[in-house]
Amino acid sequence: MFRNLVAYLDSVKSRDPAPRSRAEILLYPGVWSLGFHRVAHRLYNVRLYFLARAVNHLSRFLTGNDIHPGARIGKRFFIDHGFTVIGETAEVGDDVTLYQNVTLGGTDPANGIAGKRHPTLADGVIVGSGAQILGPVHVGSRARIGANAVVTKNVPEGATMVGIPARQMLVDVTAYQRDFLPYGTPCTDCYDPDKHKLEQLQAEMEHLQKRLAELIEQRGGKNIGPDDDIPLFRERGRG
């Protein structure tokens, strides 16, 4: 048991640059809430539901995290800071990291799995602060959920999701060659298709404005319009 505890504390230290020692990590509310949940989950499995709920309420009071006793949590699970909510039928794989104010919430099941109302997170998933993952969706292994994203559909393996509703971003593959990417998603290296289109339109507009200024200068400052037989409008199909 002591060896497992040391291994867990080392896994937390590898994901959080703040602590200076293992003893400091023992003060983390996320560590305590996981310990309380292990006890509550065992009570839940033997149908001691009231006692399981009592442990859950004590954990919520002390740590600020609300993990339903029925939720299934894998190895080396880490909640950084706290104020996280995890529903009854949620399933969390190994080496998953959640930042503050994350909700693994439920919706009416629409995937054919009776009673499955909450999401499933595969191994190595990172969920940024304030993100909401709602319903019986599956988040693939090594996926990243950006801060304040709202996920209501399945997430492919290794995907980076941002926005409301969450959509997949393209991130430089070198970011995934690392063992752990702190804070879920980088602030740079993200490719937003909509933003890219707007940048293309802006670049084209600047080019047209420059051409227009050159043509006005060539005509001695006279205003020009689409009725003028000039190369600019012929190029744009407006002559």
Side-chain angles (χ1 to χ4, degrees):
M1 181 181 295
F2 178 76
R3 188 181 300 111
N4 291 337
L5 176 61
V6 170
Y8 173 69
L9 296 178
D10 287 342
S11 74
V12 172
K13 196 171 188 301
S14 68
R15 286 177 277 178
D16 185 4
R20 268 57 175 183
S21 65
R22 294 170 180 156
E24 188 175 339
I25 299 173
L26 286 173
L27 299 176
Y28 280 22
V31 173
W32 280 95
S33 61
L34 178 60
F36 279 118
H37 174 73
R38 298 299 189 199
V39 175
H41 187 64
R42 291 193 177 188
L43 294 172
Y44 184 89
N45 286 338
V46 295
R47 299 189 178 186
L48 296 175
Y49 300 126
F50 179 81
L51 290 178
R53 277 291 194 177
V55 174
N56 166 244
H57 278 274
L58 176 62
S59 174
R60 184 172 61 178
F61 175 77
L62 294 175
T63 69
N65 296 309
D66 186 2
I67 307 177
H68 193 283
R72 293 194 286 179
I73 308 295
K75 300 176 181 178
R76 297 176 296 278
F77 174 65
F78 176 43
I79 300 175
D80 199 349
H81 300 294
F83 305 103
T84 287
V85 177
I86 301 178
E88 178 183 12
T89 61
E91 300 176 47
V92 178
D94 299 336
D95 301 299
V96 171
T97 303
L98 307 184
Y99 288 91
Q100 64 269 22
N101 299 316
V102 169
T103 299
L104 305 184
T107 60
D108 182 41
N111 62 353
I113 304 177
K116 176 65 172 171
R117 309 185 310 277
H118 301 89
T120 297
L121 275 57
D123 298 343
V125 170
I126 303 175
V127 184
S129 60
Q132 314 288 306
I133 307 178
L134 307 176
V137 299
H138 183 272
V139 180
S141 60
R142 297 169 48 252
R144 272 63 170 154
I145 310 300
N148 294 318
V150 178
V151 178
T152 57
K153 296 181 180 179
N154 291 339
V155 177
E157 178 179 349
T160 298
M161 309 294 291
V162 299
I164 303 174
R167 62 190 186 279
Q168 185 174 352
M169 310 293 290
L170 298 179
V171 180
D172 187 355
V173 70
T174 57
Y176 293 104
Q177 295 176 355
R178 301 166 58 183
D179 294 333
F180 180 77
L181 182 64
Y183 310 115
T185 56
C187 293
T188 59
D189 299 332
C190 287
Y191 175 83
D192 187 340
D194 295 334
K195 183 179 179 181
H196 181 64
K197 291 178 182 178
L198 290 175
E199 289 175 349
Q200 285 182 323
L201 290 174
Q202 182 178 3
E204 183 177 359
M205 181 65 69
E206 291 175 354
H207 173 72
L208 292 175
Q209 288 176 341
K210 184 178 179 181
R211 283 292 312 275
L212 184 60
E214 291 174 353
L215 291 170
I216 292 176
E217 185 178 356
Q218 290 175 7
R219 296 178 65 88
K222 176 185 175 182
N223 292 332
I224 60 175
D227 294 333
D228 294 300
D229 187 15
I230 57 176
L232 172 65
F233 294 101
R234 290 203 301 270
E235 290 176 6
R236 302 296 298 174
R238 302 172 184 172

